[in-house]
Amino acid sequence: MSFENIREEELKNKIAQVYFEMFDCTQIIGNVDFCVSASETQSLLWAEAKKGKADILKSIVQLILTIGKARSFDKSLPPAFLGAFDSEKIAFIPYNDVQEIFYQNDFNWNVTPSNYETKEFGIVLEKVRATIEENSLLFFFGKDDQEIHFFVRNNFILGKSHTSKIQIDKNNFIIIYNKWLQTVKPTITIDWEIAKKYGIIDGDFYLADLLSAENETLKEKLYVLLRKDHYELDRKLDEMGMFSSRSTGFNDKQKAHQQFWNKYQRPPREEYWDYIVERRDLLVPQDVRERKGSFFTPQIWVELSQKYLTDVLGEDWQDEYYIWDCAAGTGNLLAGLTNKYHIWASTLDRQDVDVMKDRIRNGANLLEKHIFQFDFLNDDFSKLPNELQNVINDPEKRKKLVIYINPPYAEASNKKTLKGGIEGNKGVEQSKTNKKYAALLGQGNAELFAQFLTRIYFEIPDCFIAQFSTLKIIQGQHFISFRNFFKAKIKKSFICPANTFDNVNGNFPIGFMIWETKTKVVIKKLKAQVFDKTANKLVDKNFQSYDQSQYINDWVKPYRADPKNNHLIGKFPFKGNDFQNQGMIQIVHYNRAYNTEAGQFLINQKNVLIASVYFAVRKCINTNWIINGDQFLHPNKKWEKDYEFQHDCLAYTLFNVKIQLQHGTNHWIPFTEQEVGAKEKFESDFMSKYIKGKIDTNITSDLFSKVDKKKEKPLEFSAEAKAVFAAGLALWRYYHAQADSNPNASLYDIREYFQGRNEKGRMKPNSEDEIYAKLIADLRSTLDLLARKIEPKVYEYGFLRE
């Protein structure tokens, strides 16, 4: 909401309309600029208005002088609030907090209120400064609109004697944190970049503020505490046995802090405290969270994973087994476990240790002595608690140890971005664990979770590992070296959507796998139960390792045309072999620069059918989070004699290519000029002749060399493919009936003609032309049916494995 560059009268009208529409804002009380009334006799707000941007404190002082000079409070009942606003903000202060100023003796009220240089203005300013700064409620138009409406709705009530503040709960504490970042954080005297290197984050200061009353933090176990006018942190006993701590304050005498928290009720209701502290991970800055790769495990998957552990290890497993979460964070993965004497939890950050210990006071079933700070990828096991060392060092007890973790997913900086948008970082490859096992890990050393599993496997042998991770350890081509040494039996597993985890946006699965490491089994595939985002079971699915497999790009590469050949009609990029690269596989004009960093498959008359098979196989099955990592493979020989399948693929491809006339001649028109009613001859009739069997598919000097008429053999198509051609022909005819049609237009050009482009230059998704909309919908419907016909052949011929 912007009120800039408007006159004062217009500003008052707009403020009345936007924020006080349910009240009467037309009354005039003396020389007060703005009045909000509930009735003819009772005001709710008297306010000073200023166009542009003004000092709110001085505006309120001017209002006080205006009221005092006219003794407006003697002529009208005073309001519940005084206030001031300009083009960007509005402030309220309870009238009762400043009313004493009107009754002071020997004060000259006959000065001009708008003259800020008078002695009287200065006297009033000094008398009310502290009160206004401590008790006023300041809101900014636009970003605080929700709060303004709440304040007006809950406080502009006749007879109300106290101010209602915005309640904080588990649903809005992150929203309020984001506002706190903009308002309070800049006023805390600390160099945040340096502090971040020592594990100090702004979220800990926010928690200290949030869980406080009268500016005193109520939870002593938090890493940072608010102590009236400063923060206290890093509390510990020094070498002399004396308590010491560090502290920092504010660079604005706590003014912004006071004004911010005047709007909110602190602390939240106690029932929310444990949840808010437990979700400290949501307050970790994005760059830190991505660097560490830590992601909070949703409770729905915590509960399901513990059910799976019960299924595998038995009803009494918590009494018979030991449990160590060596990447515990705030400990939410351990919620629901019952035998605290068999549970250990370690984490990299001391703040998370403090959070877990604080949760014990609120009912978390853990022992303080079993919670400790430990850098799993760098620290020696000699730093572990003695009881846990005893378990790890005893071969028999170790067989009863469950390493139960959701390890970090961060990836090294010299690797590409993880699916889900997690940027790599330099620290991943520098751990002691990585340096020790880098040769074994191969390219898999770029992943933190792989380093966790490797250390566990070699240094805690014969234990059980119950872990969440991506399925790269099963499917990833970079994990072949990992699978060569990590031999263990998968007892049970499930997968769930990755985007159910906070701050993971990718469309891929996260798996929970229970490994029995004492049983050495080569990883060839994973059979997992599939659950949707609400934990409803969908299907069982096999995930293949693909080791020793040849991939679809290996199969098709030998068929690509020579770039020196001048008979080219298109190209597509070699972009991965899996579904997650499906969107990148497009047939475009050979002159177009598209995915130039990838290898290019050049298409001519000799390999157009092979190219169509490749394209249709890659595109006919829509990707989803479940099959995201499935790999397309080198097919068996059966497809070579299935001409109907090949021609179905050609038909599917012809109506899905992204050829654009702007890049050069369009060789992909599947119809003749007569069939579509073209106004001129096509530049190229290659494709219609190819379909009729009139093109020599051997490389000759002329792209359009004809075969001997006796050898002409038109391609035969299935009923589903013929339906596609019929729908396509109807669309082409309608386009060519337009007065300004281009005879050489491709399907992409036709779509652009009817749909147009938006202000960002992108093709609009729909068209206002109802006939076109019906025709393109019909074409897409027939293509969907053809895709469903092709799909089972994709598996039958080995392009994909079930």
Side-chain angles (χ1 to χ4, degrees):
M1 187 68 63
S2 176
F3 300 117
E4 295 181 1
N5 302 319
I6 61 176
R7 299 173 64 180
E8 186 176 301
E9 288 304 313
E10 184 180 358
L11 173 64
K12 290 190 287 186
N13 291 337
K14 288 184 178 294
I15 296 300
Q17 179 183 0
V18 174
Y19 300 108
F20 302 102
E21 70 276 8
M22 72 289 290
F23 300 105
D24 178 10
C25 299
T26 63
Q27 286 196 38
I28 298 175
I29 305 294
N31 292 319
V32 174
D33 283 343
F34 186 79
C35 177
V36 177
S37 302
S39 68
E40 290 184 6
T41 60
Q42 182 62 65
S43 298
L44 296 170
L45 172 69
W46 293 348
E48 182 72 24
K50 297 288 184 184
K51 67 176 182 179
K53 298 178 182 179
D55 184 322
I56 286 291
L57 176 60
K58 290 182 178 179
S59 295
I60 293 177
V61 172
Q62 180 178 338
L63 174 65
I64 291 171
L65 287 170
T66 300
I67 295 169
K69 182 175 183 178
R71 297 198 66 82
S72 303
F73 47 82
D74 289 337
K75 302 168 186 174
S76 303
L77 288 174
F81 294 94
L82 298 183
F85 59 84
D86 59 19
S87 64
E88 68 171 357
K89 57 189 176 293
I90 187 169
F92 304 92
I93 185 166
Y95 179 85
N96 291 339
D97 288 351
V98 297
Q99 65 177 346
E100 290 184 6
I101 193 73
F102 297 119
Y103 300 102
Q104 60 184 323
N105 297 321
D106 301 323
F107 185 81
N108 176 22
W109 288 100
N110 294 316
V111 295
T112 303
S114 60
N115 185 353
Y116 293 1
E117 303 301 323
T118 66
K119 177 181 71 174
E120 287 76 12
F121 190 96
I123 292 172
V124 175
L125 178 62
E126 289 309 309
K127 282 184 177 292
V128 300
R129 181 192 298 274
T131 300
I132 293 173
E133 289 181 348
E134 290 177 11
N135 299 328
S136 66
L137 294 102
L138 180 66
F139 303 93
F140 285 83
F141 300 130
K143 72 175 184 177
D144 291 334
D145 277 0
Q146 186 175 350
E147 286 88 343
I148 298 173
H149 287 297
F150 174 91
F151 178 82
V152 172
R153 185 171 61 250
N154 289 275
N155 292 288
F156 278 40
I157 301 171
L158 284 179
K160 186 165 185 176
S161 59
H162 66 280
T163 303
S164 293
K165 298 183 178 182
I166 297 170
Q167 299 289 327
I168 302 173
D169 57 32
K170 63 181 181 180
N171 297 314
N172 68 0
F173 81 100
I174 295 299
I175 295 171
I176 295 167
Y177 164 65
N178 289 328
K179 294 177 181 292
W180 180 95
L181 287 176
Q182 299 174 37
T183 306
V184 179
K185 178 183 174 181
T187 70
I188 300 174
T189 309
I190 191 170
D191 186 320
W192 292 106
E193 290 304 313
I194 295 176
K196 194 185 298 182
K197 296 177 182 178
Y198 292 91
I200 299 171
I201 63 169
D202 50 49
D204 290 318
F205 290 78
Y206 172 70
L207 285 179
D209 279 359
L210 180 60
L211 301 175
S212 68
E214 297 181 356
N215 281 345
E216 286 281 353
T217 301
L218 300 173
K219 294 177 77 69
E220 290 291 323
K221 291 287 187 180
L222 295 182
Y223 183 69
V224 177
L225 303 178
L226 177 62
R227 299 301 196 198
K228 295 295 185 185
D229 61 353
H230 67 278
Y231 296 99
E232 185 180 276
L233 63 159
D234 199 24
R235 301 174 306 284
K236 60 187 176 183
L237 289 174
D238 62 22
E239 62 276 6
M240 297 175 64
M242 299 178 67
F243 185 81
S244 66
S245 66
R246 297 176 184 268
S247 66
T248 190
F250 300 89
N251 58 29
D252 69 341
K253 298 182 180 180
Q254 210 173 353
K255 179 180 176 181
H257 182 273
Q258 187 68 45
Q259 289 181 342
F260 181 84
W261 288 113
N262 279 346
K263 294 180 284 190
Y264 302 101
Q265 182 64 51
R266 291 186 296 166
R269 284 160 51 183
E270 194 164 353
E271 63 194 76
Y272 300 130
W273 292 10
D274 195 40
Y275 175 84
I276 290 171
V277 172
E278 180 184 345
R279 296 313 315 269
R280 173 184 177 271
D281 64 296
L282 296 176
L283 307 177
V284 176
Q286 185 72 10
D287 61 329
V288 174
R289 185 163 51 238
E290 290 172 354
R291 174 166 49 82
K292 293 181 178 178
S294 54
F295 295 91
F296 185 90
T297 314
Q299 189 62 30
I300 190 174
W301 308 128
V302 172
E303 293 173 3
L304 187 60
S305 69
Q306 291 176 12
K307 178 183 181 299
Y308 270 50
L309 282 164
T310 301
D311 292 344
V312 170
L313 302 177
E315 290 290 337
D316 299 323
W317 76 277
Q318 295 188 53
D319 297 323
E320 297 172 359
Y321 287 80
Y322 305 97
I323 302 160
W324 179 21
D325 183 351
C326 55
T330 57
N332 78 296
L333 190 59
L334 304 174
L337 299 182
T338 56
N339 190 349
K340 60 186 176 183
Y341 301 100
H342 278 202
I343 302 170
W344 286 268
S346 63
T347 184
L348 185 65
D349 293 329
R350 177 182 160 187
Q351 294 95 317
D352 286 340
V353 171
D354 291 341
V355 167
M356 282 192 279
K357 289 183 177 180
D358 179 78
R359 291 181 60 208
I360 292 173
R361 297 174 60 187
N362 291 282
N365 197 31
L366 301 168
L367 292 177
E368 279 208 26
K369 289 186 177 180
H370 285 196
I371 298 171
F372 55 99
Q373 185 176 2
F374 186 76
D375 184 346
F376 188 82
L377 297 182
N378 291 291
D379 288 346
D380 191 88
F381 283 171
S382 62
K383 295 182 179 181
L384 299 176
N386 290 333
E387 288 185 36
L388 182 56
Q389 286 192 55
N390 291 337
V391 173
I392 289 175
N393 294 330
D394 185 320
E396 293 305 313
K397 288 184 177 180
R398 200 164 56 232
K399 293 176 183 177
K400 293 286 188 177
L401 175 61
V402 179
I403 306 296
Y404 181 34
I405 53 171
N406 180 8
Y409 303 158
E411 187 178 17
S413 58
N414 64 339
K415 303 296 178 185
K416 292 183 179 179
T417 303
L418 269 177
K419 316 305 177 289
I422 307 167
E423 288 292 341
N425 67 88
K426 296 179 180 178
V428 171
E429 293 183 334
Q430 315 215 346
S431 72
K432 290 181 180 179
T433 296
N434 180 60
K435 291 175 181 176
K436 183 175 181 179
Y437 297 109
L440 281 172
L441 277 165
Q443 291 177 300
N445 78 327
E447 305 275 2
L448 273 181
F449 80 89
Q451 295 179 31
F452 268 78
L453 294 178
T454 302
R455 187 179 190 190
I456 295 167
Y457 183 80
F458 284 114
E459 299 182 28
I460 315 177
D462 298 338
C463 70
F464 281 87
I465 304 175
Q467 51 89 208
F468 288 89
S469 75
T470 65
L471 300 187
K472 291 181 180 181
I473 55 175
I474 306 296
Q475 296 182 300
Q477 294 182 55
H478 289 171
F479 281 76
I480 294 174
S481 296
F482 176 89
R483 291 190 288 271
N484 284 339
F485 71 77
F486 191 93
K487 296 179 173 64
K489 184 176 182 180
I490 301 174
K491 300 294 288 184
K492 198 169 186 179
S493 62
F494 69 80
I495 67 163
C496 57
N499 58 20
T500 59
F501 289 68
D502 288 331
N503 301 296
V504 180
N505 300 316
N507 196 33
F508 62 98
I510 293 290
F512 175 72
M513 291 154 269
I514 302 174
W515 302 88
E516 183 181 64
T517 64
K518 71 178 181 181
T519 305
K520 307 303 181 186
V521 177
V522 175
I523 301 173
K524 292 185 177 179
K525 70 177 181 180
L526 168 75
K527 184 175 183 179
Q529 294 182 319
V530 180
F531 291 87
D532 67 15
K533 63 182 180 180
T534 57
N536 293 314
K537 184 181 175 184
L538 302 177
V539 294
D540 290 344
K541 175 169 168 53
N542 291 323
F543 295 89
Q544 310 286 341
S545 71
Y546 303 111
D547 295 347
Q548 313 305 317
S549 298
Q550 283 189 298
Y551 296 93
I552 193 169
N553 287 343
D554 300 321
W555 163 70
V556 80
K557 279 180 183 178
Y559 295 104
R560 57 186 165 180
D562 187 337
K564 297 178 182 179
N565 184 283
N566 61 357
H567 306 143
L568 301 178
I569 63 172
K571 67 178 180 180
F572 60 77
F574 294 115
K575 193 70 176 177
N577 293 287
D578 53 15
F579 271 102
Q580 58 195 310
N581 285 293
Q582 185 185 58
M584 295 293 103
I585 305 300
Q586 302 291 349
I587 291 179
V588 299
H589 198 282
Y590 59 88
N591 286 332
R592 179 182 170 187
Y594 177 72
N595 264 292
T596 53
E597 76 282 359
Q600 302 290 317
F601 184 95
L602 302 177
I603 306 171
N604 61 16
Q605 74 265 39
K606 185 176 182 180
N607 64 14
V608 65
L609 200 57
I610 292 286
S612 297
V613 170
Y614 176 93
F615 179 85
V617 164
R618 293 293 303 263
K619 304 287 281 189
C620 72
I621 302 172
N622 292 327
T623 187
N624 59 56
W625 69 271
I626 300 171
I627 62 175
N628 177 274
D630 285 7
Q631 304 281 335
F632 289 90
L633 303 172
H634 191 301
N636 55 44
K637 297 283 187 179
K638 294 180 182 178
W639 74 273
E640 295 178 1
K641 295 183 179 180
D642 189 340
Y643 300 112
E644 182 174 296
F645 165 73
Q646 295 173 31
H647 299 162
D648 281 345
C649 289
L650 175 63
Y652 180 86
T653 300
L654 288 175
F655 295 93
N656 278 286
V657 295
K658 291 288 180 69
I659 297 294
Q660 294 172 262
L661 195 56
Q662 63 173 303
H663 298 296
T665 301
N666 174 19
H667 296 292
W668 294 79
I669 303 174
F671 309 110
T672 65
E673 295 90 342
Q674 293 77 17
E675 287 174 321
V676 301
K679 297 177 178 62
E680 295 181 30
K681 183 177 176 58
F682 296 157
E683 290 180 3
S684 169
D685 58 359
F686 164 78
M687 192 57 67
S688 62
K689 288 183 176 179
Y690 181 88
I691 291 170
K692 291 179 172 62
K694 295 181 178 182
I695 294 294
D696 184 355
T697 55
N698 293 310
I699 299 298
T700 66
S701 58
D702 183 357
L703 181 62
F704 308 106
S705 292
K706 299 179 181 180
V707 297
D708 187 306
K709 201 160 186 70
K710 295 179 182 179
K711 296 181 180 180
E712 286 182 13
K713 189 174 182 182
L715 304 185
E716 296 181 4
F717 293 96
S718 66
E720 292 83 357
K722 289 177 180 177
V724 170
F725 277 104
L729 180 58
L731 176 61
W732 250 268
R733 282 175 174 169
Y734 182 65
Y735 168 74
H736 283 282
Q738 309 304 309
D740 54 347
S741 63
N742 187 318
N744 299 296
S746 67
L747 177 58
Y748 186 95
D749 298 322
I750 293 172
R751 289 176 55 226
E752 184 179 30
Y753 175 87
F754 287 108
Q755 294 172 214
R757 293 188 176 272
N758 61 23
E759 62 278 1
K760 295 182 178 180
R762 297 173 182 168
M763 189 185 297
K764 295 177 182 177
N766 301 303
S767 170
E768 296 180 359
D769 188 314
E770 294 182 1
I771 297 176
Y772 164 78
K774 173 74 166 56
L775 292 171
I776 195 70
D778 289 344
L779 177 58
R780 288 168 178 163
S781 178
T782 60
L783 282 168
D784 285 343
L785 292 174
L786 181 58
R788 299 292 73 78
K789 181 175 186 289
I790 296 170
E791 181 176 346
K793 299 286 188 177
V794 173
Y795 289 95
E796 180 182 343
Y797 298 149
F799 291 103
L800 287 173
R801 290 181 192 162
E802 299 253 28

